[in-house]
């Protein structure tokens, strides 16, 4: 609420154990994301929701006591991004794989492909795709903590390749199941027709 009112940034960190309702310093990962609050609202059922945009990684140094909310001192973390053709090639591969994944999604937003195509920063693209990946929270945290851009691109591409294979297999199984159902329905319909003809 305070960040939304004041327009200040917040620090997002993941809990080690999501079942703890009021986590302390030891329950939180030290690496997180500085984020801008885009929207904050309270739903009808009283739950509070916040939409944020991540801007930069940080590492928590220590937590400050006596505040009405968790507050910490931190260091900003810069990613290691050597600009070269090898990195450019990795960016292109990740972009192509992301577009392939979007095409396999049953209800993909058409503007998503445009967003992916418009991103020229390798780090930004890797982080965006990592956010959408259906992977374990620990794997997402590991990606967040990977400052070497080349390594992060490789890891995200590896996770994305796995997701694409799963989506392709799911689609194939779905089509096979649909074909079997259609075939059974045709057989049933023909049997019913034959009964009607006999009658």
């Amino acid at each position: 609420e305070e960040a939304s009112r004041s327009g200040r940034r917040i620090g997002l960190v993941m809990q080690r154990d999501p079942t703890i309702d009021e986590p302390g310093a030891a329950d939180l990962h030290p690496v997180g994301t500085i984020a801008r609050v885009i929207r904050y609202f309270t739903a009808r059922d009283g739950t509070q929701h916040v939409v944020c945009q991540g801007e930069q990684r940080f590492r928590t140094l220590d937590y400050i006591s006596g505040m009405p909310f968790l507050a910490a001192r931190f260091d900003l973390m810069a990613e290691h991004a050597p600009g070269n053709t090898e990195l450019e090639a990795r960016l292109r591969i990740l972009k192509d794989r992301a577009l392939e994944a979007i095409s396999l999604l049953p209800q993909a937003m058409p503007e998503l492909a445009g967003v992916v195509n418009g991103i020229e920063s390798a780090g930004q693209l890797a982080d965006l795709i990592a956010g959408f990946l259906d992977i374990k929270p620990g794997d997402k945290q590991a990606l967040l903590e990977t400052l070497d851009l080349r390594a992060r691109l490789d890891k995200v591409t590896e996770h994305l390749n796995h997701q694409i294979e799963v989506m392709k297999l799911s689609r194939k199984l779905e089509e096979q199941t649909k074909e079997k159902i259609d075939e059974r329905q045709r057989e049933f319909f023909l049997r019913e027709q034959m009964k009607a003809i006999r009658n």
Side-chain angles (χ1 to χ4, degrees), residues 38-130:
I38 305 291
R39 189 165 174 238
Y40 170 79
F41 61 97
T42 304
R44 286 185 187 147
D45 64 358
T47 57
Q48 296 175 327
H49 300 267
V50 64
V51 178
C52 298
Q53 181 177 358
E55 294 181 346
Q56 189 173 357
R57 288 162 170 74
F58 72 89
R59 180 178 301 280
T60 304
L61 300 174
D62 58 0
Y63 283 87
I64 303 164
S65 58
M67 302 288 281
F69 42 77
L70 274 176
R73 279 186 276 275
F74 61 91
D75 272 341
L76 292 175
M77 300 168 72
E79 63 186 19
H80 310 298
N84 58 28
T85 52
E86 192 183 325
L87 197 65
E88 203 175 305
R90 281 178 161 83
L91 170 64
R92 189 167 295 160
I93 288 167
L94 182 57
K95 200 176 270 197
D96 289 345
R97 298 303 278 164
L99 293 171
E100 183 181 354
I102 291 167
S103 73
L104 290 168
L105 290 171
Q107 294 163 341
M109 297 177 290
E111 59 270 14
L112 195 53
V115 169
V116 168
N117 263 325
I119 295 175
E120 294 305 319
S121 159
Q124 235 182 352
L125 183 65
D127 292 342
L128 175 76
I129 292 167

Side-chain angles (χ1 to χ4, degrees), residues 130-187:
F132 282 112
L133 285 173
D134 184 19
I135 57 176
K136 294 174 184 166
D139 291 332
K140 286 197 179 192
Q141 183 67 31
L143 288 171
L144 184 68
E145 292 177 11
T146 305
L147 294 181
D148 182 274
L149 189 52
R150 210 176 295 150
R152 190 158 84 244
L153 284 166
D154 288 346
K155 286 180 184 179
V156 171
T157 302
E158 190 179 314
H159 284 298
L160 188 57
N161 284 338
H162 175 74
Q163 296 284 308
I164 288 170
E165 292 310 309
V166 168
M167 285 192 286
K168 282 180 177 177
L169 186 58
S170 296
R171 182 176 274 190
K172 186 179 176 183
L173 292 171
E174 202 175 280
E175 285 169 3
Q176 287 173 349
T177 305
K178 189 179 181 302
E179 282 171 16
K180 284 179 184 173
I181 291 169
D182 289 347
E183 199 175 309
R184 285 193 197 121
Q185 285 175 336
R186 275 196 301 276
E187 286 171 9

